[in-house]
Amino acid sequence: TGVQTCALPICLRQVTLPTNYPDSNVEFSGLALAASGTNVELWMTDQYAYGSAGIIGWQLGANGTAATNDPGTVIVPVDSDYLTQAPYDLALDTNGFIYTIQYLTNGGGPAYALLDYLPYEDVPESPLECVWADAWHPTLMYASGVAADPISPLVAMAVIGHCDTETDPCGGLYLFDTINGEYLADLDQTGGKPYYDVAWDSVGNLYAVGGVTNA
């Protein structure tokens, strides 16, 4: 059910195959694992801008791979209300709430950059309710990473940023309240350099991948 390559002590296994893709145009970006008891699901975002499938999930077998011909289940679809373009990354908090971002660009028009959805209850025919959504376009253009704090009601968002010119820095490392989506702070101390991804550890420390532009 997959290609496995081992170089002790690590084995690399191909979890999904082209037969698992919902269509031929998918562009997978974000990644998360959702677990309920012994059931583990792999979730990924489809960032394809011209017909994204949304957030897709696959049930993983005992060997850690998806069934060969399983095209996945739509967890959060792209719609005309909130997730209007394509999800770029996603995160789950300890209560199962789903956080996702849209990689908004200059030509995308006003849209929501950060969204919070109710936990998935394995009922594909019932679209998940959006709890809150933040529309900070263009301040949050090119959002690139999102992560939920496991011990506090906080969600962090990494933004590459893109302003009027290539030399105008506007990247950020933003904190939001997971309860209502309230903006709390920009933790950036670089003067607006880009941030590419974020992660929390188990005791609430936040890690961020930063960088510099070519300009």
Side-chain angles (χ1 to χ4, degrees), residues 58-166:
W58 293 265
Q59 182 71 49
L60 300 183
N63 64 349
T65 67
T68 302
N69 295 311
D70 177 10
T73 298
V74 176
I75 306 299
V76 178
V78 172
D79 57 38
S80 58
D81 294 324
Y82 298 102
L83 191 62
T84 55
Q85 297 185 28
Y88 191 78
D89 194 18
L90 78 152
L92 303 172
D93 67 16
T94 54
N95 295 313
F97 283 82
I98 305 165
Y99 305 90
T100 190
I101 55 175
Q102 297 190 89
Y103 189 86
L104 307 177
T105 64
N106 275 322
Y112 295 106
L114 175 64
L115 307 96
D116 173 26
Y117 285 87
L118 290 176
Y120 180 64
E121 300 292 344
D122 198 21
V123 186
E125 64 272 16
S126 300
L128 291 182
E129 178 183 345
C130 183
V131 181
W132 51 257
D134 278 309
W136 274 37
H137 184 76
T139 308
L140 297 184
M141 285 193 304
Y142 297 92
S144 56
V146 64
D149 187 344
I151 63 173
S152 300
L154 298 172
V155 61
M157 181 179 178
V159 173
I160 295 175
H162 178 70
C163 293
D164 295 334
T165 70
E166 292 182 359

